[in-house]
Amino acid sequence: MSLKSAVGRARGLGSAKEGAGHWWSQRVSAIALVPLSLWFAVSVIGLSHADYATFKGWMSKPGNTSLLLLTVLTVMHHAHLGLQVVIEDYVSCEAKKFAMLIGMKLATAFLAVFMTVSILKVAVGV
C-alpha cells in the first residue's frame, strides 16, 4: 500500500506526447510503401532475365535510382518504427530495452547507409 495520492501515482505515467506523431509516421510510411513496392515488384519482374549491363543501364536512369533510394530509405524508416514499438511493448527489462533500441537504431542506420552507397555505386558506375 502506498501513501501517495492518485495524482502522485499517475504522474510520470501519462502521455509523452510522442505517440501520435509516431503513429502517423508509421501510417504515412506504410502508405508510401504501397506504390513504391508495386513499382519495385514490376521493375524486378521486368529485369528478371537481364544481364548486369542491362541492369546497370536501368539503374543509371535518375528516376529509377531515385525511386529505388526512396524505397530503401522508406523501408528502413518503417522497419525502425515497427521494431521500436515491438521492443518498447514486449521487452520489460529497462536495460535490455535500452540496449535493444540502440542496437536496432544503429542496425537500421547502417543498413540504410550501406544500401544507399551500394545503389549509388552501381548507378554512377564507380
Side-chain angles (χ1 to χ4, degrees), residues 101-115:
L101 285 171
I102 295 297
M104 179 265 308
K105 287 175 190 266
L106 291 173
T108 54
F110 171 78
L111 288 171
V113 169
F114 182 79
M115 287 187 276

Side-chain angles (χ1 to χ4, degrees), residues 32-48 55 58-59 64-65 67-72 75 115 119:
L33 281 172
V34 171
L36 288 171
S37 298
L38 291 172
W39 168 82
F40 182 74
V42 168
S43 299
V44 167
I45 291 168
L47 292 167
S48 63
F55 174 72
W58 175 85
M59 190 82 146
N64 292 331
T65 304
L67 284 172
L68 191 55
L69 285 171
L70 191 59
T71 302
V72 162
V75 164
M115 287 187 276
I119 290 166

Side-chain angles (χ1 to χ4, degrees), residues 27-105:
R27 288 342 178 249
V28 169
S29 66
I31 291 168
L33 281 172
V34 171
L36 288 171
S37 298
L38 291 172
W39 168 82
F40 182 74
V42 168
S43 299
V44 167
I45 291 168
L47 292 167
S48 63
H49 296 293
D51 59 348
Y52 182 72
T54 305
F55 174 72
K56 190 171 178 180
W58 175 85
M59 190 82 146
S60 65
K61 295 179 182 175
N64 292 331
T65 304
S66 299
L67 284 172
L68 191 55
L69 285 171
L70 191 59
T71 302
V72 162
L73 295 176
T74 305
V75 164
M76 286 292 98
H77 180 64
H78 187 73
H80 171 264
L81 293 171
L83 288 170
Q84 180 180 346
V85 169
V86 170
I87 291 169
E88 287 174 349
D89 286 351
Y90 295 106
V91 178
S92 58
C93 175
E94 290 299 319
K96 287 181 184 177
K97 183 185 300 186
F98 181 74
M100 289 177 77
L101 285 171
I102 295 297
M104 179 265 308
K105 287 175 190 266

